[in-house]
C-alpha cells in the first residue's frame, strides 16, 4: 500500500450486460474529502458505474481500488472493504416493518456487531445530524419521501463510511422535498465527507461538487472542476446535454 491513497480509483473499467457494453473504459479517481458529481443522459451508465465502485455489479474488466484495497482482486475480503462504503439509493430501501431508529441500528448490530446501547447512541447522533431525530419511533410509511431519504442517509453514516455513494438520491422525491435532502448532502460535503454523487441536480453539482464528470454512452466525455464543466463546458456533447437539462421545457433527460 502506498502512502498517499485515493479514496477510490477506477482504472479502465468495462461492464457489459450480455451484448450490451455499458461502461467502455472508465478512468477516474476521487480523493479523500472530495465531492464528485457524475452527470449525463439517461442510460449513459452512471448508475452502473456507481454500482461497480462497491462491486454491487461485477465489472467485466478493469480495476476498482478503494483506499488502496483492490476490490477486483478475487482474494480480497470484499465484505470488509464494502463496509467502508455507504450507499444511498433513489428508492430509500428502508425496512417497512422497522421504526426509524431500528432501521438505523440494524446494520450496525448485524454487520459491525455493535452492542445495543452503542448502536442506539450512534443512530440517534446521525438522525440528529440529518435533522430527523424526532421521528425515531415512526415507521417509514409515516414519513415523507424526503424524511425517508434522510433516514437512509443516517443509516449509511452510522456505519462510519470512508466514502458515500449517492445514486440519484432526490429523483424519487416531490420537488418541494428535494431541497431538504440536498441541504443534508451539502452539510456532509462541508464536513469533509468523500462523496460520489450521481445526480440530475445541476445547481447542486455546480455549487457543491469539487469535480463534475460528464458521462455519455459509457465513456467519460468531460471531467473537470464543477464550475468549469457546468458553466463553461469544453466538449460539444456536454454543451448539448447541459442545454437540454438547463432548459426547463425539456424533460427527456
Ligand atoms: N442489470 C442489468 N441488466 C441489463 N442491462 C442493464 C442492467 N443494469 C443496467 N442496464 C442497462 O445499462 C444501461 C445503462 O444503465 P444505467 O442505469 O447505468 O444508466 P444511467 O446513466 O444511470 O441512467 P438513468 O439516469 O436513467 O438511471 C441501460 O441501457 C440499462 O438498461
Amino acid at each position: 500500500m502506498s502512502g498517499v491513497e485515493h479514496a477510490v480509483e477506477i482504472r479502465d473499467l468495462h461492464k457489459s450486460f450480455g451484448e450490451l457494453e455499458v461502461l467502455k473504459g472508465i478512468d477516474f479517481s476521487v480523493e479523500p474529502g472530495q465531492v464528485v458529481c457524475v452527470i449525463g443522459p439517461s442510460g449513459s451508465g452512471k448508475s452502473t458505474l456507481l454500482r461497480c465502485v462497491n462491486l454491487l455489479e461485477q465489472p467485466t474488466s478493469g480495476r476498482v481500488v478503494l483506499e488502496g484495497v483492490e476490490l477486483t482482486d478475487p482474494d480480497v475480503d470484499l465484505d470488509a472493504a464494502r463496509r467502508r462504503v455507504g450507499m444511498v439509493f433513489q428508492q430509500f430501501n428502508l425496512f417497512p416493518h422497522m421504526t426509524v431508529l431500528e432501521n438505523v441500528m440494524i446494520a450496525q448490530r448485524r454487520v459491525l456487531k455493535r452492542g445495543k446501547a452503542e448502536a442506539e447512541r450512534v443512530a440517534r447522533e446521525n438522525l440528529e445530524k440529518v435533522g430527523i431525530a424526532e421521528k425515531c419511533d415512526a415507521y417509514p410509511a409515516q414519513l415523507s419521501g424526503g424524511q425517508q431519504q434522510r433516514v437512509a442517509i443516517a443509516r449509511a453514516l452510522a456505519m462510519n463510511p470512508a466514502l458515500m455513494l449517492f445514486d440519484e438520491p432526490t429523483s424519487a422525491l416531490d420537488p418541494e422535498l428535494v431541497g431538504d435532502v440536498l441541504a443534508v448532502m451539502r452539510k456532509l460535503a462541508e464536513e469533509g465527507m468523500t462523496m460520489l454523487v450521481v445526480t440530475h441536480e445541476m445547481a447542486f453539482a455546480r455549487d457543491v461538487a469539487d469535480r463534475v464528470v460528464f458521462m455519455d454512452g459509457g465513456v467519460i466525455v468531460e471531467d473537470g472542476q464543477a464550475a468549469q464543466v457546468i458553466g463553461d463546458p469544453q466538449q460539444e456533447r456536454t454543451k448539448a446535454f447541459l442545454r437540454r437539462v438547463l432548459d426547463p421545457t425539456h424533460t427527456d433527460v
Side-chain angles (χ1 to χ4, degrees), residues 77-95:
D77 180 350
L78 198 53
D79 288 339
R82 270 207 193 111
R83 262 174 241 149
R84 303 288 295 150
V85 184
M87 184 140 180
V88 175
F89 300 88
Q90 188 174 336
Q91 301 289 348
F92 336 127
N93 297 356
L94 301 177
F95 293 114

Side-chain angles (χ1 to χ4, degrees), residues 17 20 22 41-48 57 168 200:
F17 295 105
L20 180 67
V22 174
S42 184
S44 55
K46 306 180 299 293
S47 294
T48 304
E57 294 286 0
E168 301 193 27
H200 291 287

Side-chain angles (χ1 to χ4, degrees), residues 105-119:
M105 287 174 65
I106 183 80
Q108 299 185 62
R109 300 274 285 140
R110 291 206 179 147
V111 178
L112 301 183
K113 311 288 181 207
R114 281 187 184 143
K116 187 159 180 274
E118 171 70 356

Side-chain angles (χ1 to χ4, degrees), residues 141-224:
Q142 297 171 305
L143 304 181
S144 72
Q147 290 171 328
Q148 289 188 58
Q149 191 60 297
R150 284 187 280 150
V151 175
I153 294 172
R155 177 178 59 179
L157 292 175
M159 303 296 281
N160 200 22
L163 169 70
M164 286 281 284
L165 305 178
F166 292 84
D167 191 2
E168 301 193 27
T170 58
S171 294
L173 301 179
D174 291 334
E176 72 273 19
L177 303 175
V178 168
D180 291 347
V181 171
L182 293 181
V184 168
M185 292 169 63
R186 179 189 282 264
K187 185 168 135 192
L188 293 180
E190 285 166 1
E191 288 174 359
M193 175 60 75
T194 311
M195 295 162 57
L196 183 58
V197 183
V198 172
T199 187
H200 291 287
E201 296 291 335
M202 295 303 137
F204 177 85
R206 184 194 60 219
D207 297 343
V208 179
D210 297 292
R211 268 175 41 225
V212 169
V213 172
F214 172 66
M215 273 183 76
D216 194 9
V219 297
I220 292 180
V221 174
E222 194 156 347
D223 176 351

